[in-house]
Amino acid sequence: KSNHWKATYLLALNLIGLNQKEEGRLLLNKLNSQPNTANFYWIRSQLAPDPMSQQAELDLEKAYEKDPKNWRIALDYGDLLEEKNLFKETLRILDKSQRQYPDNFIIGLRKAEVLNRLKEYEKSIDLLSKLEVLPYEHATGSRKIYTQAYLGSTLNAIQKGRWNEAKKLVEQALKWPEQLGVGKPYNPEERLSLMFLAFIEKQIGSESKAYLEKIVDYSRKNLDRGEKNCAIGLFAIRFTEGKEAANIYAKQLQQISNENPEIEEALAFFFKNQTKELSIKFLAQLKDFIE
């Protein structure tokens, strides 16, 4: 047997390829810090039982230091920093990768997501408008990032009393741009956007009840859909039909909540805030809860 690290490294890769990941991981661990290739540290970090362990973090950091141009390593390192709430550092990593790979929509989407976390919604919207997302396994995530960007920007406009601008932004949030790689499904989840529209219409003196009724109708026809969004249905029912009707709907949700922890969270959020009226503060709290 050779004592050179490459022989052990290649043997470990073969074992991993044969789905003997634990055996491969143990061999990689024996090499300590002998290898000088970024992929070694990246792979070892991916196999760590605890991805947030000190060793896994050190391995991923070392992988990035050795090969910062590898966009997959850069994304994983950015994820690690984001998990530690180091959003500006994450953005710095993603900025660098995007300059190197301007057509890589996966990097672009991750950057837009981090911009949303930093509440830099206008920058996120601008970035998303330039992306061409190919349909892929996680393409639905692009829709979520898009909606968060527009509703975040909508909330900013609302807080400044710019009602017409806010209405245009939330209407844009309801659109499904083709370049984001996911088509509009039948009967999509739109309750948070509709709640924003209801508030905006109320402020400019227009009829807002129609939007609340649309939320109520969707909620009753889709009892087991929406998870945390079920809270929006509860509030819409209370705003339009009163506390008793909301409590009846809450009991229906409680019957299926054991199957979905997020429905339990929605119920808890509703009961904690059920006396609140539709306001800017309420919208901000509801948005934070849903997202």
Side-chain angles (χ1 to χ4, degrees):
K1 293 182 179 181
S2 171
N3 289 324
H4 196 280
W5 68 264
K6 284 187 178 180
T8 305
Y9 175 50
L10 292 174
L11 176 58
L13 292 182
N14 284 332
L15 289 170
I16 294 165
L18 293 171
N19 205 31
Q20 298 179 41
K21 294 182 179 179
E22 181 60 16
E23 292 85 346
R25 183 181 71 83
L26 292 174
L27 280 180
L28 295 178
N29 284 346
K30 287 181 180 179
L31 292 174
N32 297 315
S33 59
Q34 295 177 53
N36 57 11
T37 174
N39 278 345
F40 165 80
Y41 296 99
W42 182 42
I43 291 168
R44 192 165 69 176
S45 73
Q46 302 302 298
L47 293 173
D50 178 7
M52 296 302 292
S53 67
Q54 184 179 18
Q55 185 58 55
E57 289 185 24
L58 289 172
D59 279 343
L60 195 48
E61 184 177 358
K62 196 163 189 176
Y64 181 74
E65 287 176 357
K66 287 184 173 295
D67 190 4
K69 291 184 178 181
N70 185 315
W71 68 269
R72 294 183 185 278
I73 292 177
L75 281 183
D76 284 344
Y77 186 47
D79 287 344
L80 171 65
L81 293 172
E82 187 175 357
E83 283 290 327
K84 298 167 76 172
N85 294 325
L86 298 172
F87 302 121
K88 290 185 178 180
E89 284 298 303
T90 305
L91 187 60
R92 181 181 62 80
I93 299 296
L94 295 173
D95 272 336
K96 187 174 181 179
S97 290
Q98 192 183 37
R99 286 194 296 271
Q100 293 166 342
Y101 304 98
D103 297 326
N104 188 317
F105 65 84
I106 297 176
I107 296 172
L109 287 174
R110 287 291 292 111
K111 181 179 174 181
E113 189 175 16
V114 174
L115 286 169
N116 285 346
R117 297 290 295 271
L118 289 167
K119 300 189 184 299
E120 296 185 22
Y121 302 114
E122 287 72 22
K123 289 182 180 179
S124 180
I125 289 171
D126 181 63
L127 172 57
L128 290 168
S129 71
K130 298 171 183 175
L131 293 182
E132 289 290 338
V133 180
L134 299 176
Y136 75 115
E137 184 181 357
H138 303 291
T140 51
S142 65
R143 171 65 190 173
K144 182 178 179 180
I145 295 166
Y146 172 88
T147 305
Q148 289 176 346
Y150 271 97
L151 290 184
S153 190
T154 299
L155 186 60
N156 286 344
I158 286 173
Q159 290 169 337
K160 295 172 184 175
R162 298 174 180 171
W163 305 114
N164 291 332
E165 178 186 343
K167 185 176 180 180
K168 288 179 182 178
L169 286 165
V170 74
E171 286 173 346
Q172 190 65 36
L174 288 165
K175 294 182 179 180
W176 291 75
E178 289 185 11
Q179 96 272 3
L180 289 182
V182 56
K184 183 176 181 179
Y186 173 74
N187 201 25
E189 171 62 69
E190 299 176 332
R191 284 178 284 185
L192 185 57
S193 297
L194 292 173
M195 186 66 82
F196 270 70
L197 270 175
F199 177 74
I200 293 166
E201 292 291 351
K202 182 179 179 182
Q203 297 306 306
I204 61 180
S206 298
E207 179 56 51
S208 63
K209 191 175 181 181
Y211 294 111
L212 293 173
E213 289 176 342
K214 192 172 181 179
I215 296 172
V216 171
D217 182 63
Y218 181 95
S219 300
R220 288 204 165 111
K221 290 179 179 177
N222 300 275
L223 183 68
D224 60 346
R225 287 184 61 186
E227 300 168 328
K228 284 187 176 182
N229 287 287
C230 292
I232 305 171
L234 285 162
F235 284 108
I237 292 171
R238 190 182 74 74
F239 293 152
T240 56
E241 301 175 14
K243 182 178 178 180
E244 186 175 343
N247 285 337
I248 291 172
Y249 185 67
K251 288 179 181 178
Q252 293 173 338
L253 288 173
Q254 285 171 337
Q255 291 176 359
I256 62 171
S257 63
N258 289 338
E259 303 168 14
N260 193 324
E262 288 199 5
I263 293 179
E264 291 185 354
E265 291 180 51
L267 286 163
F269 180 81
F270 171 71
F271 286 124
K272 182 179 179 181
N273 299 282
Q274 62 180 314
T275 60
K276 293 182 179 178
E277 297 300 325
L278 192 51
S279 64
I280 296 175
K281 185 177 180 180
F282 169 77
L283 278 181
Q285 289 177 327
L286 185 62
K287 177 180 175 295
D288 286 345
F289 169 71
I290 298 299
E291 295 179 357

